[in-house]
Amino acid sequence: MIWIADQLVSEGPGGVYGERIIQGYRLWSPRRSKLSALYHLGKGIELESHHRVLYLGAANGTTVSHVADYVEVVYAVEPAPRPMQDLMVVARRRKNIIPLMADARKPERYIPLVEHVDIIYQDVAQPDQAEILAANVRFLASGGVMVFMLKPRSIDVTSTPAEVAVSVQKSLSNRGIRTDECIWLSPYYPDHAALICRQD
Amino acid sequence: MHFMKSNEGKYQVLLVKSYWFCDREGGSCHPLPHDKRILADRIEQLEGDKTAEIPVWEYAVQCGFVKNRSEYLNILHTIALYLAGVRLEEASKVDHPELILMVRMLDQIDSAINLLSERSVEWYRALNPEFSRKSEILQGRKLRDLMRDGSDDALREILDEIDQLAERRSSLAKKVSAKASEVLPNCSALSGGLVAARLAAEAGGIRDLALMPGSAIQVLGARNALFCHLSNASPPPKHGLVYQYRGVHGSRKERRGKVARVLAAKLAIAARIDYYRGEPDPIFIAKAQETILNARRSP
């Protein structure tokens, strides 16, 4: 991955969302993207040019565009029409983004198009986050990794974020998903965690 | 999987595996043509098929559908963009997002008019210290007409603008009502177009409204009261947005809860007819209206 003076950048056509350009590279700010925050904390999975990625919760395509700069292909799943309009604009300029308008809860809607991938990245902020990841494990190639962005506040506001993280890891492991690492994203995103998971 | 009759007349199980780019069957393989519509139809068909499998791009090359991986990804990209466009269009056809956006605009204009009116009253008071709203309980247009006397030019111009905005507001309200009768014909027949549109906006869309139980529709728009009730011992809300329906706020106080409940139950059915059928059902409407009327009357 490319760093310029402690700043994470990516290489690709700029002007996707008004990002700054440094020496011809697109600045990938840790304040705009949880995945960038994870890399700035010195963790996360190095993205490589042969990687195939399934991206759940693609939203407006901000983070997707940076991931696409690094990897071979990104399958970007987003159910809502409004963000999908923006995502399609991004995908028209980046041929390695495959936009899929579908609900990540119902992977049968995109099974016919998505191949086995090396990385599943999920950022959906839904109460049933863990179930959604479990439903998509089938796409993971053997040896693949899952990066799971956990927002405890959208799962349960009455328990502390740390308690929620523990219970989510338990519910993942009941579904055959092992959590190798849990990284809190402060100071960039308070009360958000990234879980690095693998299949048991 | 298909059952095919073999030459000997016996039934055989032939394993045909279908992908978005080809059919594989035993040793042979039939690629599909590079045609957006044919491929899109095939994908739609595979989505409903529980036995559909995760595609393997190498098969597309073996089959002669493409020459290499980069061509595979290229065609996949084109077809995915095309499908996403089709789905976007479908979503806007059934969900009519413009209705919800019109309602939100209407509410925003309302609050803008209120804010500007409050400000101009304060301004008018500074110019006319003896003025008090206590003596003259006037509102809206009448209040603005009264304030034109004794205002300076600057304030008068603002009052004109507020009048203009109020006119826009009422013409938009009519349009919302008309749009609602078009896309929510059954709900609009029961509660009036504006209330129906507001309910859809509060629910998050026509589909969301159609999936709601009547009890949720009854308290839509009374979120604070509802959560207060759920976390404390405060009484549950009787009505949210449905209060704006004449039959609810025009009923005697002790009967409003009942009317709201009956109306909401009928609205839940109406919303489903609107979403899934999309046309008015006169028999349902007549029966529902009668039930609601009875709820207002009966002891």
Side-chain angles (χ1 to χ4, degrees):
Chain A
M1 316 235 338
I2 313 168
W3 294 80
I4 298 178
D6 292 344
Q7 299 271 40
L8 181 60
V9 296
S10 72
E11 188 178 12
V16 174
Y17 57 96
E19 69 278 20
R20 266 176 58 204
I21 305 289
I22 303 176
Q23 297 168 30
Y25 293 95
R26 306 170 58 225
L27 180 67
W28 187 0
S29 162
R31 303 192 182 277
R32 299 281 310 251
S33 160
K34 280 171 227 138
L35 186 55
S36 171
L38 181 62
Y39 290 122
H40 274 265
L41 292 165
K43 307 281 186 169
I45 306 301
E46 282 291 292
L47 298 174
E48 290 167 31
S49 61
H50 62 86
H51 277 157
R52 300 168 191 175
V53 179
L54 173 59
Y55 193 124
L56 306 172
N60 296 291
T62 307
T63 303
V64 176
S65 71
H66 287 290
V67 175
D69 285 347
Y70 279 107
V71 303
E72 189 205 19
V73 58
V74 184
Y75 294 90
V77 178
E78 172 58 48
R82 197 49 254 290
M84 191 36 131
Q85 290 176 331
D86 293 340
L87 180 63
M88 279 177 70
V89 175
V90 178
R92 277 203 191 93
R93 283 181 69 193
R94 280 178 165 69
K95 300 281 181 207
N96 61 343
I97 296 176
I98 312 291
L100 300 163
M101 187 164 163
D103 189 337
R105 289 185 186 90
K106 300 190 178 94
E108 56 279 6
R109 295 275 298 178
Y110 47 88
I111 274 186
L113 294 180
V114 179
E115 55 190 337
H116 285 288
V117 296
D118 307 293
I119 299 172
I120 296 178
Y121 177 72
Q122 178 183 310
D123 184 3
V124 294
Q126 294 288 326
D128 54 346
Q129 281 193 309
E131 287 89 335
I132 294 176
L133 185 65
N136 285 279
V137 168
R138 67 183 88 187
F139 294 107
L140 201 65
S142 63
V145 191
M146 291 167 272
V147 181
F148 177 87
M149 291 298 170
L150 174 68
K151 188 179 176 190
R153 286 274 168 247
S154 40
I155 293 180
D156 184 357
V157 283
T158 59
S159 346
T160 67
E163 284 165 7
V164 175
V166 170
S167 81
V168 166
Q169 286 179 43
K170 205 188 239 166
S171 104
L172 284 174
S173 96
N174 288 340
R175 295 178 163 85
I177 299 171
R178 180 184 82 228
T179 306
D180 287 346
E181 222 178 335
C182 171
I183 303 124
W184 291 93
L185 297 180
S186 55
Y188 303 107
Y189 289 87
D191 288 348
H192 281 75
L195 306 185
I196 310 289
C197 307
R198 286 185 171 79
Q199 239 179 318
D200 261 341
Chain B
M1 214 192 279
H2 297 263
F3 291 92
M4 297 231 324
K5 214 171 183 184
S6 70
N7 294 340
E8 296 90 54
K10 287 178 195 157
Y11 282 95
Q12 261 190 327
V13 181
L14 262 183
L15 266 177
V16 179
K17 282 194 180 163
S18 295
Y19 298 92
W20 67 270
F21 44 81
C22 76
D23 289 314
R24 282 163 64 86
E25 170 188 336
S28 65
C29 170
H30 313 283
L32 270 76
H34 290 198
D35 179 287
K36 262 193 231 172
R37 280 203 190 82
I38 295 176
L39 291 173
D41 282 350
R42 158 59 64 97
I43 292 163
E44 300 253 285
Q45 186 194 325
L46 285 176
E47 276 166 356
D49 183 357
K50 288 256 151 58
T51 61
E53 284 185 27
I54 294 175
V56 179
W57 72 273
E58 284 92 342
Y59 293 164
V61 176
Q62 285 165 19
C63 221
F65 178 73
V66 289
K67 284 193 281 302
N68 50 36
R69 177 153 176 86
S70 99
E71 193 186 357
Y72 173 84
L73 288 179
N74 251 331
I75 295 177
L76 183 57
H77 179 257
T78 314
I79 195 76
L81 266 178
Y82 172 75
L83 268 179
V86 171
R87 294 225 169 120
L88 268 181
E89 222 166 272
E90 277 169 7
S92 79
K93 250 183 224 150
V94 291
D95 243 11
H96 301 284
E98 72 275 20
L99 176 67
I100 281 113
L101 295 171
M102 282 161 82
V103 174
R104 298 214 172 117
M105 180 66 84
L106 188 70
D107 291 342
Q108 202 80 61
I109 295 179
D110 272 341
S111 64
I113 291 175
N114 283 337
L115 270 173
L116 294 173
S117 302
E118 285 297 308
R119 277 269 157 259
S120 31
V121 168
E122 292 302 314
W123 189 349
Y124 185 74
R125 262 193 184 165
L127 296 170
N128 304 277
E130 75 287 358
F131 174 78
S132 161
R133 283 185 83 176
K134 283 267 154 52
S135 57
E136 309 228 21
I137 309 167
L138 286 175
Q139 278 184 344
R141 181 132 210 165
K142 283 192 182 131
L143 175 66
R144 288 194 291 276
D145 284 343
L146 174 91
M147 290 201 299
R148 281 206 172 76
D149 265 352
S151 295
D152 56 12
D153 282 348
L155 179 51
R156 225 169 276 136
E157 276 171 21
I158 300 290
L159 290 172
D160 290 346
E161 283 303 318
I162 301 177
D163 276 345
Q164 286 262 330
L165 204 53
E167 264 169 47
R168 291 278 159 280
R169 192 247 169 231
S170 45
S171 86
L172 180 60
K174 280 192 200 105
K175 282 175 190 150
V176 170
S177 226
K179 183 89 197 164
S181 328
E182 184 190 311
V183 302
L184 291 167
N186 293 290
C187 286
S188 302
L190 298 188
S191 68
L194 261 183
V195 175
R198 286 222 162 89
L199 286 170
E202 185 67 25
I206 291 170
R207 179 166 191 273
D208 300 77
L209 185 66
L211 296 180
M212 263 185 186
S215 52
I217 294 177
Q218 186 185 347
V219 295
L220 258 185
R223 196 186 295 139
N224 286 345
L226 179 65
F227 283 105
C228 190
H229 163 64
L230 293 176
S231 54
N232 299 313
S234 62
K238 289 189 288 297
H239 34 57
L241 279 167
V242 286
Y243 181 76
Q244 294 174 5
Y245 169 61
R246 193 165 23 88
V248 176
H249 70 246
S251 291
R252 290 219 313 279
K253 207 176 174 196
E254 61 274 21
R255 192 144 301 157
R256 282 177 196 161
K258 182 177 186 182
V259 180
R261 168 165 48 81
V262 173
L263 172 67
K266 292 300 167 192
L267 279 173
I269 301 169
R272 284 163 215 176
I273 302 176
D274 286 338
Y275 180 69
Y276 290 106
R277 230 186 286 160
E279 52 193 38
D281 181 336
I283 299 168
F284 162 76
I285 292 171
K287 272 191 180 167
Q289 276 171 338
E290 200 192 314
T291 318
I292 296 163
L293 213 62
N294 283 340
R296 293 185 68 182
R297 278 204 213 106
S298 64

